[in-house]
Structures are given as structure tokens and as C-alpha cells.
Amino acid sequence: MKFLAVLCIFIFTVAFAYANHYGCYSNNPCGAGRICHTSKGSCNCIEISKCFDVTLESSKKSEWDLNGTHFAQYDFQIKNNNLISDISNLFIGVNPNIAAKDYVQIWNIRRMENGELTLPSYLPSIERNTTFGFGAIFAGHNEPNLAIYAVTY
């Protein structure tokens, strides 16, 4: 019985750490609605609504039905509003109702094994005061609600 309790606690701890793995310290994730913001080696957890250095916007470009399946194409824009520093690393999370099978196509961004998005290997940074765009086609009616989890300048 003790073994089962310890095993459950271990599994819960691993699942929690995996779901919230961005933070200023490995044992202190920023949590939902916050961005892990690292600049010049200093890390802070900032509420998304109060983080003005980087923004992520989306727009639905088109949608259609084909053979009983609904598709929608989206364009996304990451804006580096920082006037001093380039973004050297960025991680974007996708809402859980978008499954791997729902991604029909994705371009100009790298999708990691855990489903999160990050800068493509050919783009070392997003320069200060510039915008970087990427796009995707999703199957189904779920809206792709993306959020920036972590940014490094």
C-alpha cells in the first residue's frame, strides 16, 4: 500500500513538472498565464498581460470543408517589441484540445516532440523591433489558442 502511494505521488510530481517545465528555477515553474522572461541572465515570471517585450497574434486566413472534414488556415505573428535585444530562444504552447493529428501542415516554425513550438533551426534569433511569421493548417473546429511560455533575450 505504501509503495502504491509513493508511486502515485511520483507520477503526479513528474506529470506536474512536465506540464509546467518553464520557470526561473527548475523547481519553481511560472505557471499558467505567465511567461518565463529571461534577459541578460536575469529571469522573471511575468503575467502575459504585463509582458510587452514580446507579443503573439493570430488570424484565421481561410477555412473549408473537404470530404466531411473541416480545415482552417492560420497565420501567426511573433513581435519582438524590445528595442535593445534580440530574442534568442522562444517556446510556444498550444492549447490541449489541438491534438497532433489536427496539424495538417505547419510552416516556418519547428514543432517539438512535446507539441510545443520553437524557432526554426535556420533562424538564430528574432531581431529587436521586428516581426516573425509562421502558419499552420488545422483539421477540426478547435481554435488554436497559442501562448508564449518562455522567451530569452
Side-chain angles (χ1 to χ4, degrees), residues 92-99 102-103 115 138 142-147 149:
I92 300 170
V94 182
N95 55 328
N97 64 343
I98 301 291
D102 294 332
Y103 286 91
F138 297 97
N142 292 328
E143 296 283 329
N145 184 16
L146 279 59
Y149 286 171

Side-chain angles (χ1 to χ4, degrees), residues 19-70:
N20 298 294
H21 56 282
Y22 294 106
C24 292
Y25 308 100
S26 59
N27 61 350
N28 189 18
C30 288
R34 299 170 66 89
I35 294 174
C36 176
H37 184 283
T38 305
S39 180
K40 298 180 183 173
S42 176
C43 183
N44 294 294
C45 292
I46 301 174
E47 291 178 36
I48 291 173
S49 63
K50 295 180 180 174
C51 182
F52 304 109
D53 279 350
V54 61
T55 55
L56 175 64
E57 296 178 0
S58 67
S59 62
K60 185 186 290 185
K61 299 310 275 184
S62 62
E63 58 185 314
W64 63 95
D65 293 299
L66 181 65
N67 298 327
T69 303
H70 184 78

Side-chain angles (χ1 to χ4, degrees), residues 37-127:
H37 184 283
T38 305
S39 180
K40 298 180 183 173
S42 176
C43 183
N44 294 294
C45 292
I46 301 174
E47 291 178 36
I48 291 173
S49 63
K50 295 180 180 174
C51 182
F52 304 109
D53 279 350
V54 61
T55 55
L56 175 64
E57 296 178 0
S58 67
S59 62
K60 185 186 290 185
K61 299 310 275 184
S62 62
E63 58 185 314
W64 63 95
D65 293 299
L66 181 65
N67 298 327
T69 303
H70 184 78
F71 297 93
Q73 178 180 342
Y74 290 84
D75 282 347
F76 300 93
Q77 299 291 321
I78 302 166
K79 172 79 170 149
N80 181 1
N81 299 309
N82 191 306
L83 299 176
I84 300 169
S85 302
D86 298 345
I87 294 174
S88 61
N89 211 349
L90 179 82
F91 295 97
I92 300 170
V94 182
N95 55 328
N97 64 343
I98 301 291
K101 66 178 179 52
D102 294 332
Y103 286 91
V104 176
Q105 274 189 313
I106 190 162
W107 55 90
N108 214 28
I109 194 119
R110 184 168 63 96
R111 186 165 182 264
M112 302 186 317
E113 287 183 25
N114 65 1
E116 293 176 3
L117 307 174
T118 190
L119 296 177
S121 58
Y122 60 84
L123 184 71
S125 65
I126 301 174
E127 293 181 0

